[in-house]
Amino acid sequence: MGRLRSVILLAGMLLMPALLFAQFNNNTSSPYSRFGLGDLQPYSFGRTAAMGGASLASRNNQQINTSNPASFTSVDSLGFMFEFGVSGKFANYSNDITSMNANDFNFRYFAMNFQITNWMATSLGLTPYSDVGYNVEVTDEVENTGNILYRYAGEGSLSKAYLGLAVDPVKNISVGANLNYMFGLLNRSAQTYFLDAGDFYTNQRNESLRIRDFNLSLGAQATIPLKNEQRITLAAIVENKPTFTRFYSDLNTKYIQIQVNNTTRADQDTIKPFRTEEKGNLEFPLTYGFGISYVKNNSLEINADYYRQGWSDVNLPGGGSDVLTDLNKFALGAEWIPDKFSIRSYLNRIAYRAGLKYENTYLEFDNQQINDFGISFGVGLPVYRSNSTINISAELGRRGTIQNNLVLENYAKLNLSVNLYDLWFIQRRFD
């Protein structure tokens, strides 16, 4: 472990380009990613993914908490942490007519966390914000026209790179801020085919939305010490309607092939008006959250969160804002370690975790808001003779409904994260 820090830093520099590329190509197969900015990713990763995502008030000196920048000062004074995660999702999508299965695997995030002084710490990393990925076909029969095929497809990701700083201005109080850089590209297309009428044009629309710019997110945590190595922590986060630079393209075309005297003739034209890389501003919603955590040192942690985003105030270019509504999320989770310092039993040193979440998502169709409910569980496996941890978790959930011609999604998620922990400035006699 003596060379761990150097290996981590070198690996981080070598892998950074690959990780950035991976963020641009995250996969999802959800038809709900067709709307808004796609599937919004959770604000919590790693250890707390097994705890329903409840993490805003969590302060663990050997795990990175990316959901609240105030938590960065919880790292030990000589501690250095590097963490990365991957995930897999197995989903079944169904409606009144049919169903389909889909599997997606993605790189999720990476982060570093270490102290600068006894009262200041920093963190940096790369996390996903949203993913778009769908391919949907719908056939409809229209009088005097025949069968019409509608095909919708999309792909892309938005990612967030951050540099965070947290300080302890007074004892048991921590405040922090993340300087975020949001970037990414979302592509969507829609085609209309007249299957029974050869003299009708095929219509196609291609949209792209590219986003880039910086914003600031803030967080605070206040710890109340109790007797017998117990404590309660209260937390809050806020992101006040950040504005990003966006580039929007919208191109509509029509195309037809006609047989004339045994000769195929084609006609293609652009339907005006069209926009190519139109520059403007896109205001994201006001985001805030509150959390509470109860901890008994090295044994038990219970977290509860409330998180909100005001998407009903957001106007997306090209329309589509009529399906957006306010997002509300509730999460509850716990971690239990039988005996963290047990010498004889490895099972007693394992962290056992479980949680649940309920989310009113930011999508609403015909006054029917899409809700998401999930239960999660997992373990934190300590690495032999170190404070490093392998976190494994699973989440089972349900999103949406088959009512009102909507889609019901039953899913199972598997998450794997590796937290590598080392001590700085320790001169080891043996390595």
Side-chain angles (χ1 to χ4, degrees):
M1 295 296 295
R3 298 188 180 91
L4 178 59
R5 187 180 76 254
S6 299
V7 172
I8 291 172
L9 290 174
L10 178 60
M13 289 185 291
L14 293 176
L15 291 176
M16 179 73 75
L19 295 177
L20 287 170
F21 178 78
Q23 283 293 299
F24 276 113
N25 292 275
N26 273 354
N27 297 316
T28 181
S29 302
S30 172
Y32 285 118
S33 71
R34 175 185 164 195
F35 305 96
L37 294 178
D39 276 350
L40 302 182
Q41 297 304 309
Y43 58 80
S44 177
F45 302 99
R47 163 181 175 258
T48 52
M51 302 164 67
S55 56
L56 297 180
S58 181
R59 292 181 62 82
N60 188 295
N61 61 1
Q62 294 175 4
Q63 301 283 331
I64 301 177
N65 180 9
T66 60
S67 66
N68 189 338
S71 69
F72 299 151
T73 55
S74 64
V75 63
D76 289 334
S77 59
L78 299 178
F80 175 88
M81 289 183 287
F82 175 85
E83 186 172 319
F84 65 91
V86 296
S87 70
K89 181 179 179 180
F90 312 89
N92 173 265
Y93 304 98
S94 60
N95 58 18
D96 292 331
I97 302 174
T98 186
S99 66
M100 61 167 284
N101 297 318
N103 304 322
D104 302 309
F105 297 91
N106 288 301
F107 163 78
R108 287 285 81 183
Y109 72 102
F110 83 93
M112 301 180 188
N113 186 194
F114 54 91
Q115 276 200 7
I116 300 175
T117 69
N118 288 334
W119 51 272
M120 181 185 297
T122 188
S123 177
L124 65 148
L126 181 67
T127 64
Y129 187 84
S130 71
D131 297 322
V132 168
Y134 59 91
N135 195 333
V136 179
E137 293 186 354
V138 179
T139 302
D140 191 15
E141 185 175 356
V142 179
E143 186 177 357
N144 299 324
T145 302
N147 292 315
I148 301 177
L149 173 64
Y150 302 94
R151 180 175 294 165
Y152 308 95
E155 62 179 3
S157 296
L158 296 181
S159 303
K160 183 168 64 176
Y162 77 89
L163 174 63
L165 186 69
V167 298
D168 294 334
V170 296
K171 186 177 181 180
N172 296 324
I173 299 292
S174 179
V175 294
N178 280 342
L179 178 63
N180 307 303
Y181 181 72
M182 184 80 76
F183 64 98
L185 176 66
L186 306 177
N187 292 312
R188 292 183 168 95
S189 66
Q191 295 92 27
T192 303
Y193 300 90
F194 296 89
L195 302 179
D196 300 326
D199 56 348
F200 279 76
Y201 280 88
T202 293
N203 297 318
Q204 178 168 312
R205 181 181 184 183
N206 294 295
E207 292 180 278
S208 68
L209 176 63
R210 183 163 58 94
I211 293 176
R212 71 182 188 198
D213 228 328
F214 293 92
N215 78 294
L216 202 65
S217 55
L218 307 174
Q221 292 180 326
T223 300
I224 305 171
L226 305 175
K227 296 181 180 179
N228 301 322
E229 296 186 323
Q230 301 175 83
R231 68 179 185 271
I232 291 177
T233 300
L234 306 176
I237 61 165
V238 66
E239 196 171 278
N240 186 23
K241 294 186 177 181
T243 299
F244 299 98
T245 301
R246 57 88 172 159
F247 300 87
Y248 178 68
S249 298
D250 185 5
L251 179 63
N252 293 272
T253 60
K254 61 180 183 178
Y255 177 81
I256 193 172
Q257 285 185 331
I258 303 175
Q259 293 284 347
V260 179
N261 298 326
N262 297 322
T263 302
T264 300
R265 295 184 179 181
D267 179 46
Q268 183 173 358
D269 194 11
T270 300
I271 304 174
K272 295 182 180 181
F274 61 87
R275 288 172 283 187
T276 302
E277 284 285 277
E278 178 187 74
K279 185 177 180 180
N281 294 323
L282 178 58
E283 184 179 80
F284 272 42
L286 170 67
T287 299
Y288 60 87
F290 304 99
I292 184 171
S293 176
Y294 164 81
V295 174
K296 184 174 182 180
N297 285 352
N298 304 313
S299 177
L300 179 65
E301 180 174 319
I302 302 174
N303 300 329
D305 284 0
Y306 168 68
Y307 180 82
R308 180 179 175 85
Q309 290 184 310
W311 286 96
S312 60
D313 297 328
V314 173
N315 292 312
L316 297 177
S321 301
D322 55 325
V323 300
L324 299 184
T325 188
D326 294 337
L327 181 153
N328 292 278
K329 180 177 180 179
F330 305 87
L332 178 67
E335 175 188 76
W336 174 60
I337 306 174
D339 185 357
K340 184 175 182 177
F341 305 105
S342 175
I343 298 176
R344 297 182 179 180
S345 174
Y346 179 79
L347 293 179
N348 285 340
R349 299 201 305 274
I350 293 176
Y352 300 91
R353 302 161 183 154
L356 56 87
K357 71 171 186 183
Y358 181 77
E359 179 179 331
N360 306 124
T361 74
Y362 77 140
L363 298 178
E364 182 179 77
F365 304 95
D366 296 326
N367 297 318
Q368 174 70 59
Q369 189 166 8
I370 303 302
N371 298 322
D372 187 353
F373 174 77
I375 59 173
S376 56
F377 48 89
V379 294
L381 304 175
V383 177
Y384 180 66
R385 296 181 62 184
S386 77
N387 288 322
S388 299
T389 309
I390 298 174
N391 298 307
I392 302 173
S393 67
E395 180 182 343
L396 304 176
R398 172 175 290 190
R399 177 170 62 162
T401 176
I402 61 174
Q403 298 178 1
N404 301 323
N405 297 317
L406 297 175
V407 174
L408 174 64
E409 175 187 350
N410 293 296
Y411 62 84
K413 295 180 182 179
L414 296 178
N415 301 289
L416 170 67
S417 66
V418 179
N419 180 281
L420 302 176
Y421 182 97
D422 194 19
L423 294 176
W424 294 52
F425 311 118
I426 298 294
Q427 184 66 41
R428 290 177 172 81
R429 193 176 298 269
F430 301 99
D431 194 357

